[in-house]
Amino acid sequence: MSDAFKENIDYPAEYSYKMVGDDTKKFRDSVKAVFMMKKVKDMSERPSSKGNYVSITVTVEVGSYEELRSFYEMISRIEGLRYHL
């Protein structure tokens, strides 16, 4: 992760995480579990054209660079994740 996230963002900050994964209940539930301890400001889902995958965007307030990275680390362990931004 770029140092720009550490140096160029004033915390606390609103941040959006975007994940693409298998279009399954398990994937959706796993994404929700990552953010269950935070107040989610926005969450949206968009299925792929063939219905095999789903894109989920979650916006939360992060209090520090360490918290921002922690969410990325938890997201990277989700079963069925194809990629995330």
Side-chain angles (χ1 to χ4, degrees), residues 14-75:
E14 204 168 278
Y15 194 80
S16 293
Y17 296 87
K18 183 172 221 163
M19 297 135 285
V20 176
D22 298 334
D23 191 1
T24 63
K25 181 179 182 335
K26 184 175 183 175
F27 177 72
R28 284 183 177 85
D29 289 347
S30 295
V31 169
K32 290 174 186 172
V34 166
F35 297 98
M36 67 185 243
M37 298 302 283
K38 291 294 281 185
K39 181 180 178 190
V40 174
K41 295 187 178 251
D42 187 48
M43 179 182 260
S44 63
E45 296 182 17
R46 193 173 128 205
S48 66
S49 59
K50 292 184 181 179
N52 296 327
Y53 304 102
V54 62
S55 170
I56 302 175
T57 303
V58 179
T59 303
V60 295
E61 184 175 286
V62 292
S64 67
Y65 173 74
E66 290 75 20
E67 185 177 32
L68 183 140
R69 282 203 49 102
S70 175
F71 280 118
Y72 271 118
E73 289 172 16
M74 289 185 283
I75 289 166

